Amino acid sequence: MGSSLIYDAVHRLRGSPETVAVGLGAGLFIQGLDRLLQESPIAHMAARSFSAAPPTVSVQLISQVTFSRPALMGLEPTWQLWALWLLLLEYSVTIGCGGWLFARLRGVSLSPKGLVRYGLLTVPSWIVLPYTPGPVWTALSTTITICGFALLFVLPGLLIEGIPFSRAIPMSVTVTRRSWLSVVGATLVVLGGYQLAAMDTRSGPMLSAVVGVVHASLVAGFLAHTE
Amino acid sequence: MNWSPSRRGMLSLCGGVVGVVPLWSVYERYKPPTRYSTPPPGSWPVHGYDPAGTWHNPYATAPRTGVRLRWRVRDRALEPLSPVLVGEGTVYGIGVDIVGVDIVTGEPTLTHRSSDVSRGALVPSAVYRNESLILSSGAAIRALTLPDDPGSGTVRWNHTVNGTDTDGLVPPVTDGRDVVIDTGDELAVVEPTEGVVRWRRSGSGSRPSLAHGTVYTVDGEQLRGFDVETGDQTTAVQPSGLLPDSVVAIPDGFIVRDGGTTACLRADGSVCWRQSSTGHLPYASAPAVTDEAVYAVVPEADGRSIGAYSLSDGRERWRSALVPTGLSAFQAPAVANEAVYFPTADGGVGAVDAASGETLWQTAAPFDDRPISAIIAAGEGVYCSDGRSIYALGVG
């Protein structure tokens, strides 16, 4: 089913080119915000690293630049507002674009409740690990990430349909266990794509947008297969 | 495909535009701080007072008559000796600890613990509420955002650098926009808000003099100048018969010191005048320079004095009867309110008239019998450190 999932995802996108256009538009927007952030007078840091593509099962538009936390302390109120607004805009566009992609490709209408639930999926990306990972930890965390990502692979599609977390998580796990190998295959494609995008210093947001569109299409296709 | 934008889609698009326009308009209003040759009144933000390092504060109304100790703040980790800095109503002592105290009351406003010895410079910012302290420790440069309320501040950025000056003795220098740091191995110009290193060259280990858009350094042989924006070398002169160990840029040349010798150089490196003395100083002490005169510690066969020389022709105007300490590396007497302030050989603080050299006042030694740093004059007071305490002296 693995190759048919990919084939189905591409076929689905050919039937909905607007999803590609919106995804690329959002990627371009994030790239523009990156540029604004880079040129801003507030100390920023490059976010291109393994942790730049955090293991969230939502669609990710990976920013290449971010403010360091100490750089936001002691700012003039105008600049504090400006920095927070910029970060908020980045998250809003990422969540809005992802939610819209899942809804469009699943053929359901996007409800505010579904979007909020979907937005909560991005929360893990805000959590920063408090220590530097060593090789053992990296191997362990990568395994856990892949397994966790695979088990929750279809979760965003279910949340967008309006299913609450309490039902969507067990459903996602059940659905995934039925086709474990193909989901792991799709997971590797998506996670690998995001990692590549995170390492692309020039057009990371655009590349991650392409991966995001394929990601949404894979989830939609997988759910369609299991229905 | 038939995709017509819905009302919701159009609203989202408009929302996006409305969201981005304020971002852009705020960003467009940003103007970096302007470069200054003289710091704002009431401050002494950099070692040597100004970017050139003249040790002359024209705004200060420091005491010309008897003084008393206004406050004393103890912190044992302010060694090795370094002059304090003053900015926005706060006096900063910088050593292993970085301590800020209210200039009027002596109440603590900043306590930042560190593991290595630092030297600092205060810089304004267009985007932060308070000034920042740029700290150079020889192994690293970092920016400390100063807190609104008493606290430890926030390290905004931190860079490691190559440096042989592991004690961080060479102080950073700023003109309000850029910071020049010499770690011995490396001379670097850093944009202080974001910590972007504009350029790096090999360092000389002397206090740079920043004037006319140029960073001047001396390495014991040559006097070199680099464009502050690009790092391109613009000056390289070998003063005849001099091995300068400190430099102060003046409008049409330089004042340099070579041990006990003080000399004025033209822009091309030729000597306008030179004043030598018989004695020897163990390390490089800097001169203080005003529009009319140069003041420096003069080693003598039987001690030391402060000597004053006419800036135009080098004629000796006077030598003080009050005996100064030798002053540590890169330190100089401070000039303000037509007086010259310096630590005295008996462990106190003294002031002499800048025009005649006559003693105006001198304190007993209230400083725990410890040597004290060069004096700085800001506002209505004078300030110094003995490595374990910061002292504020004033009138009345």
Side-chain angles (χ1 to χ4, degrees):
Chain A
M1 189 170 139
S3 58
S4 68
L5 261 180
I6 303 282
Y7 175 79
D8 182 65
V10 174
H11 182 71
R12 198 173 282 267
L13 289 177
R14 284 176 68 183
S16 313
E18 74 276 9
T19 54
V20 180
V22 168
L24 289 178
L28 196 65
F29 187 83
I30 297 292
Q31 190 127 11
L33 289 186
D34 266 7
R35 185 64 194 266
L36 200 59
L37 202 148
Q38 225 160 11
E39 298 292 324
S40 85
I42 302 170
H44 57 265
M45 57 186 185
R48 45 180 184 276
S49 64
F50 187 81
S51 61
T56 63
V57 287
S58 53
V59 163
Q60 296 168 44
L61 300 173
I62 298 166
S63 172
Q64 293 296 301
V65 194
T66 188
F67 292 125
S68 64
R69 219 168 288 177
L72 297 177
M73 300 176 79
L75 282 171
E76 289 278 1
T78 312
W79 286 101
Q80 203 146 35
L81 203 64
W82 188 87
L84 293 176
W85 196 344
L86 210 142
L87 294 176
L88 193 67
L89 203 61
E90 202 168 285
Y91 278 117
S92 304
V93 168
T94 304
I95 293 167
C97 169
W100 184 85
L101 283 176
F102 281 114
R104 189 78 179 177
L105 288 164
R106 283 292 291 147
V108 297
S109 60
L110 185 62
S111 67
K113 199 182 275 184
L115 190 62
V116 168
R117 284 177 183 152
Y118 171 77
L120 290 175
L121 284 180
T122 65
V123 169
S125 73
W126 302 358
I127 299 166
V128 179
L129 292 173
Y131 54 88
T132 312
V136 175
W137 168 251
T138 305
L140 190 69
S141 69
T142 305
T143 310
I144 292 169
T145 298
I146 292 169
C147 291
F149 196 104
L151 284 171
L152 302 176
F153 190 67
V154 297
L155 183 62
L158 296 171
L159 292 174
I160 284 295
E161 286 178 30
I163 300 170
F165 272 98
S166 55
R167 280 178 53 216
I169 292 174
M171 276 173 76
S172 175
V173 173
T174 308
V175 167
T176 304
R177 282 170 62 187
R178 282 187 204 146
S179 317
W180 178 246
L181 283 178
S182 48
V183 175
V184 168
T187 293
L188 290 175
V189 168
V190 171
L191 279 180
Y194 283 135
Q195 288 302 328
L196 279 178
M199 287 187 283
D200 185 342
T201 55
R202 285 194 176 173
S203 51
M206 293 293 286
L207 188 57
S208 66
V210 173
V211 177
V213 172
V214 173
H215 176 189
S217 187
L218 275 168
V219 171
F222 193 82
L223 281 172
H225 271 288
T226 53
E227 268 168 3
Chain B
M1 182 190 72
N2 181 18
W3 184 52
S4 56
S6 62
R7 194 174 159 202
R8 187 187 285 185
M10 290 303 290
L11 279 172
S12 305
L13 188 67
C14 292
V17 172
V18 169
V20 172
V21 167
L23 284 176
W24 185 252
S25 61
V26 171
Y27 170 69
E28 278 290 282
R29 273 193 304 168
Y30 170 71
K31 296 281 177 292
T34 49
R35 295 185 192 283
Y36 59 67
S37 56
T38 305
S43 70
W44 185 293
V46 61
H47 184 107
Y49 176 66
D50 53 16
T54 64
W55 290 85
H56 171 219
N57 185 345
Y59 300 118
T61 52
R64 286 181 59 83
T65 54
V67 295
R68 70 174 180 88
L69 183 65
R70 280 167 45 205
W71 50 255
R72 169 187 187 171
V73 175
R74 293 170 202 270
D75 187 295
R76 300 179 68 83
L78 295 172
E79 289 188 302
L81 273 183
S82 176
V84 298
L85 302 177
V86 174
E88 291 183 353
T90 306
V91 180
Y92 296 95
I94 300 168
V96 175
D97 285 355
I98 292 101
V99 176
V101 291
D102 186 281
I103 196 168
V104 177
T105 63
E107 292 295 316
T109 59
L110 173 80
T111 308
H112 185 88
R113 309 283 180 205
S114 179
S115 56
D116 45 10
V117 177
S118 297
R119 292 289 174 257
L122 288 158
V123 289
S125 169
V127 294
Y128 288 95
R129 287 194 296 277
N130 302 325
E131 292 176 308
S132 301
L133 252 176
I134 306 300
L135 299 164
S136 164
S137 71
I141 326 165
R142 59 194 194 276
L144 189 67
T145 307
L146 297 171
D148 292 325
D149 301 314
S152 61
T154 310
V155 176
R156 193 164 68 235
W157 52 259
N158 191 350
H159 297 318
T160 52
V161 289
N162 298 324
T164 48
D165 175 26
T166 49
D167 283 339
L169 288 174
V170 182
V173 173
T174 183
D175 61 359
R177 185 184 292 186
D178 286 318
V179 178
V180 186
I181 290 161
D182 194 324
T183 64
D185 273 1
E186 207 167 69
L187 175 71
V189 168
V190 181
E191 187 285 318
T193 307
E194 295 188 80
V196 177
V197 178
R198 290 196 197 282
W199 54 264
R200 295 170 192 264
R201 310 277 306 212
S202 57
S204 65
S206 70
R207 191 263 192 214
S209 181
L210 175 53
H212 329 127
T214 306
V215 180
Y216 297 101
T217 65
V218 286
D219 57 10
E221 290 182 5
Q222 269 200 327
L223 188 158
R224 298 183 297 163
F226 305 97
D227 186 287
V228 69
E229 298 276 357
T230 64
D232 294 339
Q233 183 162 314
T234 54
T235 309
V237 294
Q238 171 76 62
S240 169
L242 283 168
L243 300 172
D245 44 34
S246 72
V247 59
V248 179
I250 57 175
D252 46 7
F254 312 97
I255 302 296
V256 294
R257 291 269 289 170
D258 169 9
T261 302
T262 306
C264 174
L265 306 180
R266 296 185 189 88
D268 62 4
S270 59
V271 178
C272 333
W273 55 260
R274 160 196 319 228
Q275 282 285 358
S276 299
S277 55
T278 50
H280 171 72
L281 285 176
Y283 30 61
S285 101
V289 183
T290 69
D291 294 340
E292 296 175 352
V294 177
Y295 306 89
V297 175
V298 180
E300 295 171 344
D302 55 348
R304 288 176 223 98
S305 64
I306 296 291
Y309 309 107
S310 169
L311 181 65
S312 55
D313 56 13
R315 180 179 50 83
E316 184 173 305
R317 293 182 167 186
W318 49 259
R319 285 197 187 190
S320 67
L322 199 56
V323 181
T325 61
L327 285 170
S328 303
F330 318 124
Q331 300 190 22
V335 184
N337 202 15
E338 295 174 12
V340 184
Y341 303 88
F342 51 89
T344 53
D346 62 3
V349 176
V352 298
D353 185 82
S356 64
E358 283 175 18
T359 301
L360 296 173
W361 53 261
Q362 81 178 101
T363 67
F367 306 116
D368 295 345
D369 285 333
R370 294 175 55 79
I372 57 173
S373 69
I375 313 302
I376 70 117
E380 297 173 353
V382 292
Y383 307 87
C384 63
S385 164
D386 67 358
R388 293 190 179 180
S389 296
I390 301 172
Y391 301 89
L393 303 171
V395 179

